[in-house]
Amino acid sequence: KEREKKLQIYVAARDACFTKRKDGVFDDEALQLTQQLLSSNPDFATLWNYRREILLHLETVRNQDEVQKIYEAELSFLESCLKVNPKSYGSWHHRGWVSARLPRPDWARELSLCDRCLSLDDRNFHCWDYRRMVVKMSGVPVKQELDFTDRLIGSNFSNYSSWHYRSTLLPLLHPQAPDTPSQCGNPPPSASPQTHFHRVCEEQLLKEYELVQNAFFTDPNDQSAWFYYRWLLGRAERDEMISCVYVSREEERVAVAFSRPVNAQSVGVEWQSVHPHFKNSPVWICSLPPGTISDVANEHNLTVHWTEKHSHRDCALYTGRSESWCRDTATDLELFRSELSVEKTSVLQSELQSVRQLQELEPLNKWCLLTIILLMRALDPLGYEKETLAHFQTLKDVDSMRSAYYSDLCSKFMIENTILKMEYAEVRVFSISDRKLTTLCHLDQLLLVTHINLSSNQLQQLPPQFAMLQCLEVRIGTLFFLLFFINLNSEISTLADLQPLASCPKLKRLDLRGNPITQTTNAEAELAGLLPSVTDLLL
Amino acid sequence: MRSRDSVPAANMAAEELPSDFDIVILGTGLAESVVAAACSRVGQRVLHLDRRSHYAANWASFTFNGLLTWIEEQKEESKPEKIEDWSSLVEEGEELIHLSNSDPASITNLQVFSYTSEEEEADEPNTIEEEKAAGEDAVKESSETESAGSKEEEDAGPAEEEEPAETEEEEPEADQPPTSPPSNQSEPVRKKISHAQLVKEGRRFNIDLVSKLLFSRGSLVDLLIKSNVSRYAEFKNVTRILTYRHGNIEQVPCSRADVFASRQLSVVEKRKLMRFLTSCMEETEEQTAYSGRPYSEFLRDQQLGESLQHFLLHSIAMVTEDTPTEEGLASTRHFLRCLGRYGNTPFLFPVYGLGEIPQCFCRMSAVFGGIYCLRHSVHCLIVDKDTNRCKAVIDSRGQRISCSHVVLEDSYLDADRKRTATPPRYLSRAVLITDASVLPSDPDQQISMVTVPPTTTGGPSVKMVELSSSTMTCIPGTYLVHLTCQSVGSAHEDLLPVVTRIFRTTEPQEEDRRPSVLWCLYFNMADGSALEVEGHRVPSNVYVCSGPDGALGHEHTIRQAESIFQKILPEEEFCPPAPNPEDIIYDGDNASPGEDRAAVENGGNQEENQEKEGNQEENQEKEGNQEENQEENQEKEGNQENQEKKGDQEENGVNQEPEE
């Protein structure tokens, strides 16, 4: 009964508000009404909007002191709304709006409001947002904010917001000196793929390692600390650059691989993504006008200009050669260490040691295992391969819910290792069979590969990125064929699954033995239709 | 007592009390007060008397000056009770049991030492030798007074041996009008606080006779919340757990946040500690295997390392070397369960001191009609010879008051009627006013629980609570330190070694950073747990409550109060929630929470002070509520609410709104 009465009052007031708004009335009474309604239901966005309209109107008719007063009243009203619902989008947004419009804002008061709210609930992301706004508007020193995160982390370190805030503050407060390259004895700074903007100087980094280690040793099951640790270990996104230029005389094509997927805008010549689906692609192809480079007797110097980044890359096609390339290898770039930063090896080594220490105490902790794997990869991907695989096995056992994720991650690492080995051997054969691969990746790194063997894995499908392999189709006069084994139980079962192969026009030989597709009637004929260039098909 | 908190006691110098009550309760200690509140709450007519001039008996808190007066009172010889002839009030078939009118036995071995600058500057750097002689004299004097007061004191050992090597004075003489000149700041380095200052600001002290803490999931906290008595008090978290180890005070990391922040533990130790704390919450076969063997052995075999073992044994389980494993685990679990409900330690402390708690229950009782008189006692119980039940009491004004049940503090009974453990057990207490914290930190307003393991094997382990001025128990710039242990000898003998090790009682020397003692008090108090539950020579409807026991929590007393209540009123609920004043709607036509209203009216019916004959229930209700509203709402309730909400928040993971 009581409730019904309340509801009636509420509905009546709401309707009154709507009518007033419709009529364009922006008076004090409307302010009153909305205040009543919002104090019982602070999540009523329309009313907040109406209120803002009224306030904007009042701004035009009152003098500044009065406006200041009105907005101050608004702030204290908002505090009462936040008490009703401390996570109300409407209230926080309105507060931000009011604070920004306040003629003489009292940022210190706002900051202390944030302090109080966050001490009551240190995970209230609305308040975090508002705090960031207050800090930005009032220019709170970064150091002070860092100390604030120290305090919150001290009282409860299970707090993504605080850790994350730290990760944005630290690079500002302790930036890595730009002239100390973090890698020693590697490519000169100009060729270094790293940017230093988002990194933290080493001294501070060591302190952070210590802090976060205290957290995950205290509670290894708390994810927030592990995530922060990964951020600490991680390195900035790699620069966009041209990592490989490949020219084929016979095809009259240039293929360019970028370090990251880009959306190439053609200048002068027509560039094509390797696959019509990819608007952004790390690999782009340009068919040169017929006859441009077809004369074997000529030497051609090609330069690919990337105007957007003001970078370019040369590639010379010498007399008598049918193809040529110019590239940075994955080994050069330490590409596959990019998951983790290339700190001084000794630092990483000691990190690995302490995490291993934790693993001895907590042999089944998944975060710990995963971090060990990442550290091992950062240190020596090939050297730790065996241990890494063993840890992956444990991970799949203790965290079976995510076993597919671990399989994919493991596949990725196996492929990376194989690429490294291939580069070391200086061959263009990519063979990775019987490694329980569940996914294929880094295909842009296989631009130059001529032979690929994927037999006896657990691949579900060929990704469309497979098309990136097409760039390597090259005729070197003599016999060339792309040897392709896919061999697995029941996985490649329909023709559609082989579709990506169609983008590799130079595919000569395909070995599909053991795949269910071979059971299909007239598979051979259909395959011939799908892959006309394949001359040698093993079923 | 602070006046703002005194329970509305019926002030009726000349007026007579009603002659009929359901329950007469003697003594305003915690157990008695809880029983009083519980009985009034369910509609019993309660008369609650105390012969003392203050509430809370041996649970009381005093201002500095109040404490000096109390000390004086303890030293006074009890006047021989003149046995009056009450035969005119006794009917046929009735006999009298005379009650004791003083409490000579519960407080003994009282000794006071003052180290503040009393005289001119020249006097201050007293050499120890100089003072020694004077000190001995004074001690002798004081202990003599005590021996006169109590015969039982012998077992605790006479104090007049030789220990005091410090300055000592008899305080009380210099009592109210401070004879000393105002403070002389002789030391520019550390601000000295003079005795005059202590006296002058004495009202801002609230010095507890007992030193206990509330386990945040202990029975007292549960009861405070359940009964809504919590609204009369405000609590603070104990902010840290410390321990004395290798001659240093160290912080004990016990919560997750502590462990994380700890600087003394290696990361591996952190992991081991956290793992132990997590794993010991569940019973394992490994634990069962150690049952009967000492907990310390169990800990030793957990490969925890020396410091973790110390923390776990002394500060977390708070047991001794030879406590059996199952008991050690139980107290470890209790500690852990209490952790994090309100803060980073398992303990709460009431602002304004522990003496607040019994008063809060008295207040609740008064709100529901209980009648209160201080300096008022009962001379004898009138017992029906046939049924061996107490029919009535004769109060100190010679009025016969009939009742169905009598609850009394054990000191009202003559020793030969009580059954206590033999030999009698005592607690050794020391109260220190110091000038600095035992472990200075930033911020300095810490409330610390310090465990001091036995200094000699088999010796008592000392529990020390250091209160900062944020608890409103001492003035800013000072700390109030309570030490408690089971008595072996006198309080001074038991606790002086600890005091001299941790504190400084002489003039500061270079490099000595220990806090200075400004003033201190030693005394022994009878251990309430020594009183047997059953077997007293009393009528069947007379129930005996014990004084404070030595445990840190209040479990013993609450259990006792509840069991007495259940004996008196087996059918009734123990302390059901009292209605919130805000929920009561006065004019009848509004829809109101019916149950609560009924309950209040019920309470109101009982609330018949004799001054107000008219049964205007509403007035009565309002009075009670207004009083609460006025006094508590602004100052206390707000905070308490926060406190409780905080608990809710932690329990439910709900956020709390910002405070105004």
Side-chain angles (χ1 to χ4, degrees):
Chain A
K1 205 174 76 189
E2 196 84 338
R3 292 172 67 102
E4 269 170 34
K5 232 188 245 169
K6 272 188 185 168
L7 185 66
Q8 269 176 12
I9 297 169
Y10 181 84
V11 169
R14 185 198 61 193
D15 293 343
C17 277
F18 283 179
T19 324
K20 271 175 170 288
R21 192 181 185 203
K22 224 174 174 179
D23 301 343
V25 182
F26 301 121
D27 56 3
D28 285 333
E29 195 203 356
L31 219 49
Q32 277 296 319
L33 273 175
T34 50
Q35 173 153 0
Q36 274 166 26
L37 289 171
L38 287 168
S39 55
S40 59
N41 176 14
D43 296 307
F44 203 147
T46 311
L47 292 183
W48 286 118
N49 283 334
Y50 182 31
R51 226 176 147 71
R52 279 189 283 274
E53 287 162 16
I54 300 167
L55 291 169
L56 284 174
H57 172 74
L58 289 178
E59 261 185 54
T60 60
V61 297
R62 304 281 172 86
N63 70 35
Q64 210 193 26
D65 281 347
E66 281 171 330
V67 171
Q68 170 82 12
K69 235 178 228 144
I70 290 170
Y71 278 131
E72 274 170 6
E74 199 66 6
L75 288 179
S76 55
F77 162 58
L78 275 165
E79 268 161 45
S80 67
C81 291
L82 290 175
K83 269 185 235 169
V84 177
N85 179 1
K87 290 192 174 173
S88 155
Y89 282 86
S91 315
W92 283 108
H93 175 251
H94 192 60
R95 196 172 185 92
W97 184 85
V98 171
S99 293
R101 295 203 71 84
L102 201 62
R104 293 184 297 278
D106 182 357
W107 293 117
R109 177 191 132 106
E110 296 305 300
L111 199 64
S112 78
L113 175 98
C114 292
D115 278 357
R116 262 180 303 157
C117 284
L118 290 176
S119 70
L120 295 169
D121 176 8
D122 50 18
R123 303 195 197 186
N124 186 338
F125 65 85
H126 306 270
C127 186
W128 278 104
D129 278 346
Y130 184 62
R131 185 184 184 93
R132 279 188 286 269
M133 175 208 151
V134 170
V135 167
K136 200 172 148 205
M137 300 290 278
S138 60
V140 175
V142 176
K143 177 80 176 65
Q144 189 185 323
E145 286 300 281
L146 192 68
D147 291 347
F148 176 73
T149 66
D150 269 339
R151 223 166 48 240
L152 283 196
I153 288 169
S155 69
N156 180 9
F157 61 80
S158 176
N159 187 333
Y160 289 100
S161 307
S162 301
W163 291 115
H164 171 258
Y165 198 24
R166 249 184 126 68
S167 75
T168 63
L169 297 171
L170 281 173
L172 298 176
L173 198 60
H174 304 284
Q176 188 174 44
D179 51 345
T180 48
S182 56
Q183 30 188 172
C184 339
N186 267 322
S190 60
S192 161
Q194 273 146 306
T195 47
H196 298 285
F197 301 127
H198 303 294
R199 296 306 305 158
V200 179
C201 73
E202 190 162 305
E203 187 192 356
Q204 184 64 25
L205 210 51
L206 292 176
K207 283 187 200 153
E208 294 298 305
Y209 283 145
E210 194 193 327
L211 182 74
V212 73
Q213 265 174 26
N214 275 323
F216 63 64
F217 267 89
T218 303
D219 186 355
N221 292 314
D222 186 81
Q223 309 180 22
S224 57
W226 287 108
F227 275 113
Y228 183 63
Y229 189 56
R230 270 176 86 167
W231 176 79
L232 285 175
L233 293 170
R235 68 178 180 193
E237 280 198 324
R238 294 156 40 74
D239 270 344
E240 289 183 329
M241 55 183 275
I242 299 170
S243 57
C244 181
V245 174
Y246 168 81
V247 193
S248 160
R249 195 186 289 276
E250 185 173 327
E251 291 279 305
E252 299 190 294
R253 280 184 174 205
V254 178
V256 178
F258 297 91
S259 59
R260 289 163 60 187
V262 295
N263 189 352
Q265 299 293 324
S266 48
V267 180
V269 284
E270 192 72 25
W271 287 94
Q272 273 182 324
S273 164
V274 285
H275 193 279
H277 287 166
F278 297 153
K279 291 272 184 305
N280 285 288
S281 164
V283 180
W284 290 79
I285 299 154
C286 173
S287 299
L288 298 173
T292 334
I293 53 169
S294 54
D295 187 353
V296 183
N298 281 345
E299 183 179 321
H300 299 278
N301 276 313
L302 285 101
T303 303
V304 177
H305 286 276
W306 190 5
T307 42
E308 193 188 329
K309 300 282 167 190
H310 306 289
S311 66
H312 62 89
R313 189 118 202 179
D314 301 324
C315 181
L317 182 59
Y318 298 110
T319 317
R321 308 287 285 276
S322 65
E323 60 175 355
S324 171
W325 63 83
C326 160
R327 67 159 176 171
D328 299 323
T329 63
T331 318
D332 291 339
L333 296 178
E334 305 207 306
L335 194 61
F336 303 137
R337 296 182 171 190
S338 66
E339 301 291 323
L340 292 174
S341 61
V342 190
E343 300 303 332
K344 293 219 166 54
T345 312
S346 63
V347 175
L348 282 188
Q349 198 75 53
S350 76
E351 288 303 302
L352 178 61
Q353 227 157 45
S354 59
V355 183
R356 272 180 159 169
Q357 205 173 17
L358 179 61
Q359 197 241 341
E360 269 166 41
L361 298 164
E362 301 287 321
L364 299 181
N365 185 283
K366 60 170 179 170
W367 295 104
C368 188
L369 285 166
L370 189 56
T371 307
I372 288 179
I373 291 175
L374 296 175
L375 282 166
M376 284 177 168
R377 290 209 58 79
L379 282 163
D380 184 357
L382 293 173
Y384 285 115
E385 184 173 285
K386 221 172 140 190
E387 275 178 83
T388 308
L389 287 174
H391 285 321
F392 265 118
Q393 196 48 53
T394 322
L395 267 178
K396 286 185 214 175
D397 293 342
V398 298
D399 190 16
S400 56
M401 300 271 283
R402 281 163 206 80
S403 64
Y405 167 74
Y406 297 126
S407 294
D408 284 358
L409 194 62
C410 185
S411 301
K412 184 174 164 228
F413 291 160
M414 296 313 301
I415 290 170
E416 288 174 359
N417 283 2
T418 311
I419 292 174
L420 291 175
K421 284 180 204 161
M422 177 179 74
E423 286 178 352
Y424 185 71
E426 293 184 337
V427 294
R428 295 169 74 181
V429 177
F430 185 78
S431 170
I432 180 163
S433 64
D434 202 14
R435 304 311 290 264
K436 297 192 174 109
L437 289 193
T438 54
T439 185
L440 286 175
C441 55
H442 290 308
L443 291 173
D444 55 311
Q445 294 297 318
L446 303 181
L447 184 67
L448 302 177
V449 164
T450 56
H451 295 60
I452 187 165
N453 176 5
L454 296 171
S455 60
S456 303
N457 283 303
Q458 293 167 359
L459 295 164
Q460 306 264 345
Q461 56 178 350
L462 295 175
Q465 282 83 353
F466 221 82
M468 289 166 193
L469 293 170
Q470 79 163 0
C471 316
L472 70 101
E473 35 120 15
V474 179
R475 280 154 217 253
I476 323 171
T478 58
L479 178 67
F480 161 74
F481 60 92
L482 182 65
L483 182 62
F484 188 64
F485 292 101
I486 304 173
N487 208 347
L488 58 149
N489 326 332
S490 85
E491 301 307 345
I492 302 282
S493 52
T494 68
L495 272 175
D497 288 334
L498 290 173
Q499 188 67 41
L501 290 179
S503 331
C504 307
K506 294 310 152 202
L507 189 62
K508 283 283 172 94
R509 190 175 153 175
L510 183 60
D511 184 343
L512 288 173
R513 280 175 299 188
N515 281 301
I517 192 163
T518 56
Q519 312 302 317
T520 338
T521 45
N522 64 28
E524 193 162 356
E526 283 184 33
L527 274 170
L530 179 69
L531 308 167
S533 61
V534 174
T535 54
D536 194 353
L537 185 64
L538 293 176
L539 289 177
Chain B
M1 296 286 72
R2 288 172 311 119
S3 55
R4 55 185 288 262
D5 261 301
S6 50
V7 173
N11 179 16
M12 53 217 121
E15 283 178 81
E16 294 228 314
L17 289 166
S19 58
D20 192 14
F21 282 92
D22 292 317
I23 296 158
V24 171
I25 301 177
L26 304 178
T28 48
L30 182 58
E32 302 92 279
S33 303
V34 171
V35 173
C39 293
S40 306
R41 177 65 187 85
V42 296
Q44 296 291 304
R45 294 166 301 159
V46 171
L47 175 65
H48 198 171
L49 306 175
D50 200 315
R51 63 179 168 225
R52 301 173 183 85
S53 54
H54 60 84
Y55 276 98
N58 281 347
W59 301 81
S61 308
F62 294 104
T63 63
F64 186 64
N65 310 35
L67 184 63
L68 298 180
T69 315
W70 177 82
I71 291 166
E72 270 310 274
E73 282 168 8
Q74 299 308 309
K75 288 179 178 171
E76 272 167 27
E77 272 185 66
S78 56
K79 286 168 239 135
E81 292 168 37
K82 60 173 191 274
I83 306 294
E84 287 178 52
D85 182 22
W86 304 110
S87 52
S88 62
L89 295 169
V90 178
E91 290 161 20
E92 213 186 311
E94 294 175 344
E95 64 177 359
L96 291 178
I97 295 179
H98 286 274
L99 296 184
S100 157
N101 241 342
S102 63
D103 176 16
S106 68
I107 306 290
T108 48
N109 298 334
L110 211 71
Q111 279 168 280
V112 175
F113 301 86
S114 180
Y115 306 95
T116 47
S117 43
E118 182 89 28
E119 315 299 332
E120 283 87 320
E121 221 177 309
D123 247 48
E124 257 193 285
N126 281 327
T127 61
I128 293 165
E129 286 75 25
E130 249 181 300
E131 291 302 309
K132 191 161 177 174
E136 270 178 39
D137 273 13
V139 169
K140 205 162 275 166
E141 188 191 327
S142 73
S143 42
E144 270 162 14
T145 344
E146 283 146 25
S147 331
S150 97
K151 301 271 163 350
E152 282 91 318
E153 189 229 335
E154 251 66 55
D155 68 276
E160 63 250 68
E161 243 58 73
E162 69 292 287
E163 317 90 280
E166 273 84 29
T167 6
E168 196 235 39
E169 325 172 340
E170 283 293 313
E171 268 330 76
E173 277 77 21
D175 199 35
Q176 255 72 27
T179 51
S180 53
S183 63
N184 42 353
Q185 261 96 44
S186 59
E187 295 269 329
V189 195
R190 240 200 232 191
K191 203 177 159 224
K192 279 287 223 173
I193 289 167
S194 70
H195 188 260
Q197 225 171 325
L198 292 183
V199 173
K200 190 169 145 242
E201 301 203 60
R203 286 172 55 81
R204 297 170 71 186
F205 284 91
N206 280 293
I207 302 169
D208 296 324
L209 294 185
V210 288
S211 177
K212 284 174 176 293
L213 297 172
L214 283 73
F215 276 96
S216 44
R217 284 186 202 283
S219 45
L220 179 54
V221 168
D222 288 348
L223 182 64
L224 284 166
I225 292 171
K226 180 187 170 208
S227 63
N228 278 352
V229 170
S230 56
R231 79 165 77 121
Y232 301 127
E234 187 185 337
F235 298 88
K236 283 221 188 281
N237 277 307
V238 171
T239 54
R240 54 184 189 175
I241 311 281
L242 306 177
T243 192
Y244 183 76
R245 186 166 158 256
H246 300 327
N248 291 310
I249 298 282
E250 287 178 24
Q251 180 152 6
V252 178
C254 49
S255 72
R256 211 171 82 121
D258 285 353
V259 172
F260 170 62
S262 168
R263 298 228 159 266
Q264 9 159 0
L265 295 185
S266 73
V267 284
V268 172
E269 279 179 309
K270 290 182 180 196
R271 185 79 289 270
K272 284 181 170 169
L273 178 59
M274 285 302 287
R275 202 156 56 149
F276 179 82
L277 294 179
T278 326
S279 68
C280 80
M281 288 309 280
E282 280 150 33
E283 232 166 281
T284 63
E285 273 182 32
E286 194 195 0
Q287 294 166 4
T288 337
Y290 279 87
S291 128
R293 291 160 64 191
Y295 190 44
S296 50
E297 228 169 83
F298 173 71
L299 292 176
R300 190 157 52 241
D301 295 352
Q302 298 293 311
Q303 273 130 32
L304 291 163
E306 196 263 328
S307 53
L308 294 185
Q309 282 181 50
H310 177 104
F311 293 155
L312 285 165
L313 187 72
H314 297 295
S315 304
I316 292 177
M318 290 182 283
V319 295
T320 58
E321 293 279 346
D322 36 51
T323 308
T325 300
E326 58 272 26
E327 211 179 294
L329 279 169
S331 35
T332 306
R333 287 184 193 131
H334 184 49
F335 183 100
L336 294 174
R337 267 195 299 273
C338 293
L339 210 59
R341 184 177 192 184
Y342 298 114
N344 263 343
T345 71
F347 307 114
L348 292 177
F349 184 81
V351 177
Y352 301 110
L354 284 158
E356 291 294 291
I357 306 278
Q359 290 190 74
C360 291
F361 282 98
C362 289
R363 177 181 283 272
M364 175 62 96
S365 170
V367 166
F368 285 94
I371 288 176
Y372 279 79
C373 298
L374 292 180
R375 289 183 222 91
H376 199 136
S377 188
V378 160
H379 280 308
C380 7
L381 308 178
I382 300 174
V383 182
D384 185 295
K385 280 180 193 153
D386 296 335
T387 60
N388 189 32
R389 286 178 70 84
C390 175
K391 292 167 72 180
V393 299
I394 296 171
D395 78 353
S396 41
R397 299 207 193 93
Q399 184 187 356
R400 178 179 164 130
I401 298 166
S402 50
C403 61
S404 329
H405 299 276
V406 173
V407 177
L408 44 76
E409 180 192 312
D410 66 332
S411 68
Y412 285 78
L413 277 186
D414 287 334
D416 60 337
R417 289 190 174 272
K418 286 189 274 193
R419 223 181 64 153
T420 52
T422 42
R425 289 206 297 269
Y426 287 87
L427 306 177
S428 286
R429 291 273 291 117
V431 178
L432 279 61
I433 298 172
T434 66
D435 68 343
S437 171
V438 289
L439 186 64
S441 71
D442 183 40
D444 63 344
Q445 292 296 301
Q446 301 274 3
I447 306 172
S448 315
M449 160 78 203
V450 194
T451 50
V452 185
T455 43
T456 53
T457 33
S461 62
V462 176
K463 295 190 183 77
M464 182 160 104
V465 176
E466 184 189 71
L467 304 168
S468 67
S469 59
S470 66
T471 59
M472 314 301 271
T473 56
C474 55
I475 57 176
T478 65
Y479 288 81
L480 190 59
V481 182
H482 289 280
L483 292 94
T484 313
C485 70
Q486 287 291 333
S487 297
V488 176
S490 75
H492 191 257
E493 287 164 347
D494 289 344
L495 296 173
L496 185 70
V498 175
V499 170
T500 48
R501 218 165 296 173
I502 300 177
F503 301 94
R504 190 151 45 79
T505 48
T506 53
E507 271 311 299
Q509 279 137 28
E510 294 296 308
E511 301 296 302
D512 189 353
R513 307 186 61 184
R514 294 175 300 168
S516 289
V517 180
L518 304 174
W519 184 88
C520 74
L521 162 70
Y522 294 94
F523 62 92
N524 288 88
M525 183 186 280
D527 182 351
S529 67
L531 187 78
E532 300 288 338
V533 182
E534 302 287 341
H536 308 292
R537 275 181 49 236
V538 291
S540 60
N541 59 342
V542 173
Y543 313 92
V544 186
C545 296
S546 65
D549 64 323
L552 187 61
H554 296 77
E555 321 303 312
H556 171 80
T557 309
I558 301 304
R559 201 164 48 235
Q560 187 177 49
E562 185 164 4
S563 90
I564 290 174
F565 176 81
Q566 269 151 7
K567 277 183 213 151
I568 300 173
L569 300 158
E571 305 295 316
E572 295 283 353
E573 194 190 341
F574 181 61
C575 287
N580 188 329
E582 284 158 29
D583 295 344
I584 303 165
I585 296 157
Y586 298 109
D587 39 37
D589 57 14
N590 264 2
S592 66
E595 230 182 283
D596 283 346
R597 178 162 172 76
V600 171
E601 272 170 1
N602 201 2
N605 275 329
Q606 305 301 325
E607 203 168 357
E608 282 178 3
N609 287 349
Q610 49 278 95
E611 303 105 286
K612 297 193 181 169
E613 294 298 322
N615 45 4
Q616 302 137 322
E617 285 155 31
E618 278 175 16
N619 274 351
Q620 299 269 0
E621 279 168 33
K622 263 184 195 150
E623 190 199 46
N625 291 321
Q626 269 164 10
E627 176 184 276
E628 283 152 30
N629 288 338
Q630 280 164 6
E631 283 194 75
E632 270 79 29
N633 266 3
Q634 306 100 346
E635 309 170 45
K636 293 186 159 188
E637 216 166 56
N639 279 320
Q640 174 59 24
E641 243 166 48
N642 282 345
Q643 191 76 273
E644 266 169 43
K645 268 194 195 133
K646 205 164 139 201
D648 288 342
Q649 176 200 344
E650 262 144 34
E651 277 168 306
N652 310 333
V654 185
N655 339 296
Q656 197 188 347
E657 64 275 305
E659 45 204 87
E660 51 285 326

